Amino acid sequence: MDETVLIKPLQEGDDEAFKQLVDLYQDKVYNTVLGFLHSREDAEDIAQEVFIEVFNAIRKFRGEAKLSTWIYRIAVNKSLEYIRKKNRQKRFAFFANLFEVSDSNKLQITDFEHPGIQLEHKENARVLFAAIAKLPENQKIAFTLHKVEGLSYQEVCEVMKLSLSSVESLMFRAKKNLQKKLFDFYKSG
Amino acid sequence: MKSNQEDIDKKIERTLSSFDHIERASVNPFFYTRLKAKMETEKRGFWSLFTIPQFSMAVASVFLLLCLNFYVVINYEYNANSQADEVSTFISDYQINVGDIYELNE
C-alpha cells in the first residue's frame, strides 16, 4: 500500500485512515521499540504512545521525509526517552543503596527473549541484547534498527539524519564494542 | 591458553550471529482496540479520573466539612461569652474584684 495516500485523510482526522496506518506499522513500531526496551509490556505501552504521537502530530508532517521514516524516528525517540527515564530512576535508587558496590560495565543478562529469535539462538541473543544495552546511544540506534528491525543502511541514515559513511562508521564501532564486551563477559564467566 | 581464546572467539561469533535470522515480533491481538481506548482516556483528561458519584461525594464532603467548621466557630464564641458572664457573677458574689484587702474594712 502506498503510504502517501494515507497522509491527507490522516491530517483531516479520518479514523479509518488511522486504523490502516496502525495496521500497516504496528509490528514495525512494536519490533523496533522491543529491540530497545527488551520488555514486551513496556514495548506495547511505548508503541501505543508512538501512535498517539503520530495521530496528534500528523498535521505538522510536511512530507520532507517518508512517513515510515518519520514514524521510525518517533519510535526511536520515545524508546530512548523511556530508557533515560528508567535510568534516572535507577540513579535515584543508587542513593538508596549508596554502600552497595555495583559494576556498571558488567552485562546484566535479563529474562527477555525476543519472540522472533530461533530457539537455538535464544541464549546467545539474550547475551547480545544485554551487550547492546551497554552501547553508546547512537551505536545502539544504528545496530538495533539494522539488525533487529532489518532496515537497510540507507533507511538507517534517513531515520538518524546521518550520512551513509557515518552510519557505516557507527556500525563498525558498535561491532567492535560488542566484541570487546562479549570477550570480557565470556572471559569472566 | 590458545584453545581457551579460540573458544571465546567462537562464542562471540555465535553470539553476534544470533540475530542473523531474526523475525519481526508482532503485537498482541486487538492492539488497535487497546490503542483507541487509551486515546479516549487521554482525551477525557484529568476529569476522567473521577466518576460522577465520586465527584458528588467529594463536593458533599467539602460542604459538610465547611458546615462543621462554621458550627464549631459559632459555638465557641457563644461558650466564650457565657463563660465570661459566669466568671463575672462569681467575682461579684464573692467580692474578689477588690483592689486592696483594706478596702473591705472601710
Side-chain angles (χ1 to χ4, degrees):
Chain A
M1 184 182 184
D2 187 6
E3 59 178 37
T4 51
V5 179
L6 286 174
I7 296 170
K8 201 166 185 303
L10 278 169
Q11 288 177 330
E12 288 164 359
D14 184 345
D15 269 356
E16 189 52 40
F18 183 62
K19 188 177 185 309
Q20 282 181 29
L21 178 96
V22 174
D23 284 344
L24 200 60
Y25 286 103
Q26 58 184 14
D27 289 346
K28 292 173 184 175
V29 168
Y30 176 71
N31 189 54
T32 304
V33 175
L34 187 65
F36 286 105
L37 304 187
H38 309 161
S39 153
R40 293 186 199 198
E41 292 78 22
D42 292 346
E44 165 136 354
D45 266 0
I46 300 302
Q48 287 179 354
E49 293 289 327
V50 171
F51 284 109
I52 292 171
E53 176 80 24
V54 167
F55 184 81
N56 291 333
I58 191 75
R59 282 180 191 86
K60 294 177 207 157
F61 179 71
R62 297 180 202 286
E64 286 156 358
K66 282 194 284 184
L67 185 63
S68 57
T69 306
W70 185 64
I71 294 174
Y72 273 123
R73 220 175 270 158
I74 294 174
V76 170
N77 287 338
K78 288 269 176 199
S79 305
L80 295 179
E81 263 173 39
Y82 184 80
I83 292 170
R84 285 187 207 118
K85 192 175 151 193
K86 267 185 106 172
N87 286 343
R88 275 200 299 275
Q89 285 167 349
K90 275 185 195 166
R91 271 200 291 276
F92 180 75
F94 165 79
F95 288 106
N97 306 309
L98 200 58
F99 299 103
E100 212 171 87
V101 180
S102 65
D103 185 357
S104 60
N105 285 324
K106 201 176 167 189
L107 298 190
Q108 288 160 345
I109 314 293
T110 61
D111 294 336
F112 170 66
E113 284 182 356
H114 190 287
I117 302 263
Q118 288 160 338
L119 191 65
E120 64 266 31
H121 297 306
K122 282 200 186 288
E123 196 57 42
N124 285 330
R126 279 171 59 197
V127 178
L128 186 53
F129 272 119
I132 293 169
K134 296 286 178 190
L135 286 177
E137 211 164 71
N138 265 3
Q139 292 175 24
K140 193 193 295 181
I141 298 169
F143 196 87
T144 305
L145 287 176
H146 180 61
K147 287 286 185 180
V148 180
E149 179 49 19
L151 297 189
S152 65
Y153 276 13
Q154 187 55 46
E155 288 168 317
V156 177
C157 293
E158 288 164 10
V159 173
M160 295 184 76
K161 292 181 180 171
L162 292 174
S163 66
L164 187 61
S165 56
S166 303
V167 170
E168 282 171 348
S169 163
L170 278 176
M171 284 299 292
F172 178 77
R173 278 183 282 147
K175 281 176 195 165
K176 283 282 165 206
N177 269 334
L178 287 173
Q179 278 172 341
K180 189 181 176 306
K181 286 176 197 303
L182 292 172
F183 181 80
D184 292 343
F185 174 74
Y186 285 124
K187 198 180 169 190
S188 65
Chain B
M1 186 70 186
K2 197 182 173 188
S3 69
N4 190 30
Q5 173 72 32
E6 281 173 5
D7 192 35
I8 290 175
D9 285 346
K10 274 182 188 168
K11 279 182 180 173
I12 292 171
E13 204 177 308
R14 273 202 299 271
T15 304
L16 284 173
S17 60
S18 62
F19 281 6
D20 282 357
H21 303 288
I22 191 168
E23 284 171 19
R24 184 175 280 151
S26 300
V27 289
N28 291 326
F30 309 111
F31 176 80
Y32 183 73
T33 313
R34 288 192 298 280
L35 171 65
K36 285 300 277 183
K38 190 171 184 175
M39 287 171 82
E40 281 301 313
T41 311
E42 287 193 1
K43 202 158 78 178
R44 283 199 299 270
F46 174 76
W47 295 106
S48 68
L49 296 173
F50 305 102
T51 58
I52 290 172
Q54 276 178 328
F55 184 72
S56 314
M57 275 295 287
V59 171
S61 304
V62 170
F63 182 72
L64 189 68
L65 202 67
L66 286 173
C67 287
L68 276 171
N69 266 316
F70 187 69
Y71 173 77
V72 168
V73 168
I74 296 292
N75 214 31
Y76 177 78
E77 279 179 7
Y78 171 77
N79 282 341
N81 288 337
S82 64
Q83 271 180 1
D85 288 346
E86 280 172 21
V87 169
S88 59
T89 312
F90 180 83
I91 288 169
S92 62
D93 283 354
Y94 288 90
Q95 295 182 334
I96 54 176
N97 57 340
V98 187
D100 193 336
I101 194 159
Y102 298 109
E103 284 177 19
L104 283 172
N105 299 329
E106 287 174 5

